[in-house]
Amino acid sequence: PRLHAIGFRKSGELVGINEDCSLHVWPADGSPRANTIPLVEKKSYPYRQAMSADGRFAAADMSRKVVVWDVSRDKPTEYLSREF
């Protein structure tokens, strides 16, 4: 996938967010297969995305709203949503 940001979890997994707000998680064993998890219900193409270096949080600028997800687990949860 065309990743816009990446990070590493403590477990060694590589995580990245791509242009349609999908999270990709590669296992620490070096497997080339990623588990893909959508962060939004329908595909959305935010202006910018970011990932914390520790792979715990992903963020996106979603058209007048910044959304931050806790992606440290297999099922991400919306951590913060703020309109401006």
Side-chain angles (χ1 to χ4, degrees):
R2 297 179 62 181
L3 298 177
H4 288 254
I6 61 169
F8 290 91
R9 292 181 176 169
K10 287 182 182 181
S11 62
E13 294 171 308
L14 172 67
V15 293
I17 186 172
N18 74 347
E19 61 192 6
D20 68 359
C21 276
S22 292
L23 183 73
H24 300 271
V25 181
W26 283 270
D29 66 7
S31 172
R33 289 248 161 162
N35 182 21
T36 303
I37 305 162
L39 295 176
V40 291
E41 287 185 22
K42 66 178 192 176
K43 286 193 178 190
S44 190
Y45 297 88
Y47 181 65
R48 294 197 171 144
Q49 299 98 336
M51 175 75 62
S52 64
D54 65 1
R56 183 167 178 207
F57 297 102
D61 177 354
M62 309 281 287
S63 178
R64 301 187 50 95
K65 181 166 92 168
V66 174
V67 181
V68 179
W69 295 272
D70 180 348
V71 297
S72 61
R73 296 177 177 81
D74 290 335
K75 185 175 181 182
T77 58
E78 190 172 303
Y79 177 76
L80 172 69
S81 181
R82 170 117 190 200
E83 289 197 37
F84 54 94

